[in-house]
Structures are given as C-alpha cells and as structure tokens.
Amino acid sequence: MFTDDLDSEGPRVAIVLAGGGARGAYEVGAVRFLLEELPKRLGREVPFEIICGTSVGAINACFLAAFADQPRLRARILADRWRSLKVEHILRPDPIELVALVRELMGAHPKPIWGKEPRGGLVDPTGLMKVLADAIPFERIDDHVRAGRIRAASVSTTHVGTGRTVVFVQDDEDRVPAWGMHHAMDRRKAVLRLEHAMASAAIPLVFPAVTIDGDLYCDGGLRQNVPLSPARRLGADRLVVINPHFVGSKDPTPEVAEEREQAFPGPAFIVGKALNALLMDRLDGDVDRLRRINQILDAGTREYGPGFVDSINRQLGLPQGGGLRPLRTTVIRASHDIGRLCGEFVQSPAFGRTAKGLTGKALRRLATSEGPEEADLLSYILFDGDFATELMALGEADARAQSTELCELFEDVVRH
C-alpha cells in the first residue's frame, strides 16, 4: 500500500494527458488499464506523482488528482462519468455568440450583446461546467498535495492576449524543483479550480474563452497539446503519455483520397483537419527531441563518466534538479482513426435511436458534410456516453498492447 510520503529516491513518474475534446474518453480507457490491470501484473500500485494535462486532458488530470487517495477506484469512477454523458446536455448553442459571429462576418465591430461580451465560442459552456462541477471535487486536490499523495498537478492553457502557453501549477514547493525560464511558456502557481479546467478545454469557436484573474485564456492545445515540458520541469524522470491521435500510413487509399477531395469544399471538413493540425500532430516531434536528448546524455555519460549530466547542467546554468536529465517515455496512442470511428458511429442505427430531435439531426448532418465515414470535427465535440464507451475500449486495448513496455517502465519504481 502507498503511504503519503513521496520523498523516496526512486524515479518519479508523470502521467501526461493530451487534448482532443470528446476524444478524451480514449485516455480514460488507457488510464483504466494503468490503474486497475497494470498493478496486478506488477504486484503493487502504479504511482503517478505528477499529473499534467491540457484541453480535455486537463479535465481528466484534475479528476485523477482530486481522487488521488483512491488509486484504482478513481479510474472506474472517471469511466462512469464519461459513460453518463449526454450530448444534448453539453452541446447547447449560445445564441449571443451566434449573433456576434454573424455580425462580425457582415463587417460589424465586435461589441457586447444584451450586456454580454462575446468570448468566441458557439456552444454554451453551462452544461459542461455543471458536469465538471458535479464530477470533480477540486478542493480535494489541495488536500492531496499537502498530504504528499501527489507531488504536482498542472493544467496548460493559452493566454489570449499574448498567445503564450500558461501552465497553472499546484504543487508543494518543497518537493518540486525550480522552473527555469522558457521563451514561450509561463508557470503560474495556482489552486486548481473549475475555471482552470474550463479554460484549458475551451476549444476556439466551440467553447468560449475563460477569464482568470482578469485575463482571457483558451485551449492549451493550441500551443502545447501534449504537456511534456511541464512534466519534465516538475521533476519527472519518466513519462507515460496518452494521446488519442492516430498515425496511420502517410498515403491514404484511393477511396479515402477521393472521399476527402469530395468533402474538401465543406467547412466542417476543413475545420476538422485544422483542429487535427493544431491539437494533435506535434507529439512525434516532441518525443523525438526527448529521445535525441536521451541519446546525447547517455553517450556523454559513457564517454566522460557519471558526472557528465551534472557538469552539463552547471555549465548551462540550469537549476539543481530541474536541468537536463534522461527521461524515459512510453507513449500510448490510438491504433484506429477516431475520426472514422466517429463517422461510423453517428451514422449507425444505434445512434439514430438514441440521438433524436434537432441535436441528433444536426450531428448526423455534420458527419455527412465531413465526408463518408470520416468525422474529425464531430469527434472533438461528440460528448456522448455510448461513443465514449467505444473509445474507452480502444484506449484500454492499446494500453494493454504495451503492457510489457509499461511493466519495464515501472519495474524499479517503488513508493515507500
């Protein structure tokens, strides 16, 4: 069993949760394997001392941090919350934002409407806010950080005014290394609350930007969809990264290429692909940079001895504990194209029986406008319990497929 003491000398592992809107259900499936099945294979609990998320990953991260005293049960509770989602409860259009968009398209200057300042989101966030407020006891994160059950939790956002990434961090300063300067990323010490999660998940044009301490913030995935850097800077030695982005063959089949060409003029198709580019496509470069740094540090250690890494950090003026160091990383990512899965799901008879009325019709129309069996845009906003169940099963299967690598990652990680 775990105690509340995280001051062991062993490696510190961070879980890093990427963005992706409704695709976040995939992460929950992977988390279920990590927290429920992997401990049975290891013979002990899986300790995640650092929890980092952006966009929908920030929501999942806050949930895991809030239930840190229930290592295995929290995955089951989180999965139940996702299964209970009803798309009509979350995707409610905001008439004021719709009017503001139409006025701007016609050349009018943006201004308050009925006393409300437009924030750039066409969906009323009230439904999502209620779901999160009911599901996540944010105040418990404070207790778990103070008790030492977690070392740090972070939520990445984008500052609207400057375009910089702002990472809101809740941590125990006595246990976490100093954070060096970063040209495009600011650290803000915070007591994580609902507004931080909502800001990180505020996909532009979907959910409105959120005001925190007088400044506007939106989706952290615009600049940092996979928060590897915060995890490293918070003291992680190893990372488990969960990303719902599928990377298939570079060249699509002729059939798929033809479908895309037919759908291309449609705005839904273009927005869906733009979201993929903004929110999902940068992980490989980040992980490749980590691996290259690991190779350089390992080669230097072999050549010059075990003090090589410390010497490099001293020469670079990097803070003690927060400089360069080898960082082992395991990435769990989708083995199937979630956009295509979404297209098939929405056009299935089962969805037609459950999603009725104007919302159901609008979603099916949106899926058709993106192209046959390919619904990238819709896959970001389909907060539906049945679709979430399908994605959770995929995430769990993909994590299980990497069980050997995961066991090796945690082999010498023991929490005393």
Side-chain angles (χ1 to χ4, degrees), residues 54-110:
T54 193
S55 192
V56 74
I59 293 174
N60 289 334
C62 287
F63 188 98
L64 294 177
F67 288 91
D69 58 336
Q70 302 178 56
R72 298 193 192 187
L73 184 60
R74 57 182 169 171
R76 196 172 311 165
I77 299 172
L78 181 57
D80 289 342
R81 291 290 185 176
W82 274 89
R83 274 193 290 264
S84 68
L85 293 178
K86 300 292 183 184
V87 68
E88 61 269 19
H89 294 165
I90 295 179
L91 293 185
R92 297 174 179 172
D94 188 325
I96 292 179
E97 295 287 352
L98 287 172
V99 171
L101 177 62
V102 171
R103 291 183 59 179
E104 288 194 40
L105 291 175
M106 295 178 65
H109 293 291

Side-chain angles (χ1 to χ4, degrees), residues 195-272:
E195 58 266 27
H196 299 101
M198 288 294 299
S200 185
I203 301 174
L205 293 181
V206 180
F207 292 109
V210 175
T211 301
I212 301 175
D213 297 330
D215 290 332
L216 282 176
Y217 297 88
C218 66
D219 197 317
L222 296 180
R223 293 292 298 269
Q224 188 191 77
N225 190 54
V226 186
L228 301 183
S229 184
R232 182 183 67 81
R233 291 170 181 270
L234 289 169
D237 302 297
R238 297 180 187 178
L239 305 180
V240 175
V241 181
I242 307 176
N243 185 11
H245 183 40
F246 167 73
V247 178
S249 60
K250 294 183 178 180
D251 297 320
T253 64
E255 293 79 12
V256 171
E258 184 177 353
E259 290 174 3
R260 291 176 176 175
E261 287 180 2
Q262 292 174 352
F264 179 75
F269 177 88
I270 296 172
V271 172

Side-chain angles (χ1 to χ4, degrees), residues 292-333:
R292 289 177 182 274
I293 292 172
N294 286 343
Q295 290 173 348
I296 293 170
L297 296 180
D298 290 343
T301 299
R302 289 193 302 270
E303 181 70 21
Y304 300 107
F308 172 77
V309 176
D310 290 338
S311 297
I312 288 292
N313 286 325
R314 282 196 301 273
Q315 290 296 322
L316 293 173
L318 296 174
Q320 180 70 26
L324 296 173
R325 63 188 178 282
L327 193 62
R328 289 176 57 185
T329 304
T330 295
V331 179
I332 301 169
R333 70 188 319 157

